[in-house]
Amino acid sequence: MNTYNIIAIGGTGMRCAECVVQLCAMGMFDNTEINLLTLDTDYKNGNFKRLKNLVDNYNRLTADREGVASDTLFSAKINYYTFSPDYSTGTNYDIVAHYSDAQALVHDEDGVKWQESDLVDLFLTPEVRRMDLQHGYRAQTQMGSMLMYHAIKEEAYENKGKASDLVRFVENLMTSPGSIVFLFGSVFGGTGASSIPILPHALQEAAKIISKDGQGDLLSKNLFGTVMLTNYFSFNAPNTNDSVFATSDKFALNSQAALSFYNEDETVRSTYKRLYMIGREMPRNVSRDDAESVTGGDAQRNPEDYIELVAASAAYDFFQKAKSHLTKPVFTDEAEIFYRTMASDENNCLTFESFFGSDKDIFAQKCGIMMASAFLFGPMNFASNMRDRASYRALTEENIKDIRDFFRTFYDLEGLDEREPGDGWIKQMQKSAEEQGYQGFLFNKAAFNTTPNSAENFKFNENLYPENSKYRFRGSAYDRFRNEFGDTVFGDSDRTAVSSLFKRTYDTLTKLYGF
């Protein structure tokens, strides 16, 4: 069994982690246990909440199975951890760092008086020091890095020996030398940009605090990788009276400064084994016509973007290389930086190869089965229809709802949450690609153009993959699938009905498409 650790930081990190969860659902991480730590200062952030709901839904669908699986949908096991510094309303740097105490400490050396707060004043303006931290660090990385570093150490001190999510995550790394850890976050915003350079070292300091003998060498015993997501989206100026807020017109400059730092800083280059640089020339505006731009909170729910799937594929690549490194050295002592551009086909379409390179056929199979299943378990209501068969009478109404909810989250969110856009994860990906000028995304365009009325009759046997694809089968899509699915299933019981349904679905579609 493989064990991978993922740390998702800030809004961008949450959306990249959503991509990983969707990859787990389609079976790209067979026989794998994933420890997922979500880290954000803005714990009410809409993307933070959306990821939590997605993971909860995923884990309900795998609750009838012990451990991991392979060659099926939802094959990975996901352990969810979360940490958010305790910034209540009105909390600011002055309060957290006890700035007034530092002002009160006055020194007189050789006739020169100075306050211990003078160093802070060189880097932080009064407006930055007094801004409400509840909505994150707002691109103030000079402050955010210090605050996040000490927030993690403080969590370790206060929860040593207790059931804190962060402490348990660190303990897993301490007890499993050779752990593979990948971090998601942007380099142009607030929380992610603040945390990626310092987080491995903060976790090591936390390990020293937690350990009985003060030893906590996480850096040399484990393998760390990360992405450098440069400015790939923009938004309208937020509607706020605050004097400090992130503006997307500064993202390019922030990215340039961050990349220069990552390239030159010896600590970063000795900490990470690989850094993947991902970005594009033209940022995508994610402001919604029906919503105001905000600095954070529940209303901040940016849509998914194909760039975040590229980031997830970078994590997949790192995990494969790191697993090989444990038996035969792959990495050097200093980080390697990989630059990624998107390769489209002759029709200017993003293909399975665009994201997973040599593993394109695996991705084509897994993602295709997930896509077909979205039509089966969503508008075609296959899971509910199976309850008239003896093997699946154990499926409950709650099971049916969880299945429909997840696959509608994957394909079409209509009716799930009125605050969400009407498209599911895969359709948001496709829309972001078209907005950037690509003429197609993975599947046949017809697969994305269904309406609630037409989706029930969509011919996923003929119209799912592009016309030049070898993957298709003859006959009625639903009837042919149902007949091939058959009546006999592997020793179902009340505990295994959901997992057995997914396994049989996976095997049936694998056979029909000729994978």
Side-chain angles (χ1 to χ4, degrees):
M1 183 185 75
N2 306 311
T3 300
Y4 302 139
N5 302 275
I6 291 174
I7 304 177
I9 313 167
T12 295
M14 301 303 148
R15 294 189 297 279
C16 292
E18 279 188 71
C19 292
V20 172
V21 176
Q22 296 290 358
L23 291 176
C24 288
M26 63 182 72
M28 284 297 291
F29 289 97
D30 279 352
N31 197 35
T32 297
E33 184 169 356
I34 291 180
N35 298 313
L36 171 59
L37 171 65
T38 58
L39 190 156
D40 203 340
T41 52
D42 182 6
Y43 70 94
K44 292 183 179 179
N45 179 276
N47 289 120
F48 189 97
K49 179 181 178 181
R50 192 169 72 189
L51 173 61
K52 174 65 164 55
N53 291 340
L54 184 68
V55 175
D56 286 347
N57 197 165
Y58 183 103
N59 285 334
R60 288 195 300 271
L61 292 175
T62 58
D64 68 347
R65 185 191 74 212
E66 293 184 5
V68 301
S70 57
D71 297 322
T72 187
L73 298 170
F74 301 89
S75 58
K77 179 181 179 182
I78 302 177
N79 303 312
Y80 182 82
Y81 305 87
T82 187
F83 172 67
S84 183
D86 185 14
Y87 300 147
S88 56
T89 302
T91 302
N92 56 38
Y93 175 89
D94 283 359
I95 294 172
V96 173
H98 305 285
Y99 180 80
S100 59
D101 294 340
Q103 280 184 307
L105 294 174
V106 180
H107 301 266
D108 189 341
E109 297 179 4
D110 298 327
V112 177
K113 288 187 176 182
W114 57 277
Q115 298 172 306
E116 291 194 357
S117 60
D118 287 347
L119 181 61
V120 172
D121 293 340
L122 290 174
F123 295 97
L124 306 181
T125 65
E127 291 79 14
V128 170
R129 293 196 339 260
R130 294 166 191 160
M131 76 178 191
D132 191 340
L133 294 173
Q134 198 172 33
H135 282 185
Y137 299 137
R138 308 189 197 185
Q140 305 299 317
T141 54
Q142 75 280 20
M143 175 189 67
S145 293
M146 178 177 62
L147 290 181
M148 183 58 72
Y149 184 89
H150 286 285
I152 289 172
K153 289 184 63 176
E154 188 173 336
E155 178 76 2
Y157 277 119
E158 292 182 353
N159 291 278
K160 182 178 180 180
K162 300 179 182 178
S164 160
D165 273 14
L166 179 67
V167 168
R168 289 191 292 123
F169 185 86
V170 172
E171 288 175 338
N172 286 340
L173 299 181
M174 293 167 60
T175 57
S176 305
S179 292
I180 303 170
V181 189
F182 197 85
L183 282 70
F184 288 120
S186 70
V187 298
F188 55 83
T191 306
S194 298
S195 302
I196 288 178
I198 58 92
L199 195 58
H201 293 271
L203 295 177
Q204 173 152 294
E205 289 302 309
K208 292 178 180 179
I209 295 166
I210 296 167
S211 62
K212 295 180 181 179
D213 56 3
Q215 300 297 315
D217 186 9
L218 299 185
L219 295 180
S220 66
K221 294 182 178 179
N222 301 307
L223 303 173
F224 288 87
T226 189
V227 293
M228 297 181 290
L229 277 159
T230 60
N231 56 307
Y232 66 98
F233 67 86
S234 64
F235 50 80
N236 300 335
N239 181 28
T240 178
N241 294 322
D242 295 339
S243 58
V244 181
F245 51 86
T247 57
S248 58
D249 61 316
K250 299 292 194 301
F251 282 175
L253 181 62
N254 294 351
S255 295
Q256 183 180 8
L259 293 179
S260 176
F261 169 78
Y262 278 63
N263 186 55
E264 298 174 5
D265 186 79
E266 293 183 3
T267 301
V268 169
R269 293 186 70 103
S270 63
T271 297
Y272 291 104
K273 296 300 181 184
R274 281 196 173 180
L275 301 102
Y276 297 79
M277 192 182 90
I278 300 170
R280 61 181 170 224
E281 184 177 0
M282 295 299 296
R284 173 193 180 203
N285 191 295
V286 297
S287 298
R288 287 166 50 191
D289 294 336
D290 62 342
E292 293 180 339
S293 292
V294 293
T295 58
D298 186 60
Q300 190 177 67
R301 298 179 178 222
N302 290 336
E304 291 280 355
D305 193 291
Y306 71 86
I307 286 289
E308 291 141 10
L309 179 57
V310 180
S313 73
Y316 177 91
D317 179 76
F318 181 74
F319 291 145
Q320 302 303 311
K321 299 298 188 297
K323 188 169 63 172
S324 299
H325 179 81
L326 296 176
T327 55
K328 183 179 179 180
V330 174
F331 303 133
T332 61
D333 291 336
E334 187 171 280
E336 298 175 279
I337 299 179
F338 285 77
Y339 302 87
R340 179 66 190 271
T341 57
M342 293 301 293
S344 55
D345 66 9
E346 64 276 8
N347 297 316
N348 195 28
C349 297
L350 293 181
T351 66
F352 299 104
E353 187 175 8
S354 302
F355 294 92
F356 280 87
S358 60
D359 284 338
K360 61 183 183 299
D361 291 335
I362 297 174
F363 184 46
Q365 173 184 355
K366 305 279 190 177
C367 194
I369 289 176
M370 187 71 181
M371 191 75 160
S373 298
F375 288 99
L376 283 165
F377 293 121
M380 296 178 186
N381 211 18
F382 182 72
S384 181
N385 294 339
M386 283 296 97
R387 295 182 71 193
D388 62 358
R389 300 190 179 188
S391 295
Y392 291 104
R393 286 175 188 159
L395 290 173
T396 66
E397 289 295 337
E398 289 76 15
N399 294 151
I400 302 299
K401 182 180 184 303
D402 287 336
I403 292 170
R404 284 177 59 83
D405 283 356
F406 196 97
F407 281 99
R408 291 174 72 179
T409 302
F410 173 82
Y411 182 80
D412 195 342
L413 288 171
E414 182 182 358
L416 284 181
D417 189 336
E418 61 183 10
R419 293 169 299 180
E420 293 281 10
D423 297 325
W425 176 81
I426 192 75
K427 292 174 77 174
Q428 290 181 47
M429 291 280 163
Q430 184 254 356
K431 182 176 291 186
S432 70
E434 288 196 345
E435 288 181 7
Q436 290 296 306
Y438 292 105
Q439 298 303 305
F441 177 78
L442 302 183
F443 298 105
N444 192 328
K445 281 191 176 183
F448 298 103
N449 293 335
T450 64
T451 65
N453 293 329
S454 65
E456 186 176 357
N457 299 313
F458 178 68
K459 297 180 180 180
F460 58 82
N461 58 332
E462 299 175 0
N463 297 331
L464 182 58
Y465 288 95
E467 292 181 2
N468 60 352
S469 173
K470 59 185 176 181
Y471 302 129
R472 52 174 39 86
F473 59 91
R474 297 181 181 277
S476 166
Y478 183 85
D479 292 340
R480 177 78 190 279
F481 171 84
R482 183 177 173 124
N483 292 336
E484 192 69 41
F485 187 90
D487 292 314
T488 306
V489 188
F490 333 91
D492 280 339
S493 69
D494 288 351
R495 276 185 47 78
T496 62
V498 176
S499 291
S500 179
L501 178 70
F502 289 148
K503 173 61 175 172
R504 190 58 175 250
T505 299
Y506 182 94
D507 288 346
T508 301
L509 289 171
T510 295
K511 180 179 180 180
L512 287 173
Y513 283 119
F515 292 127

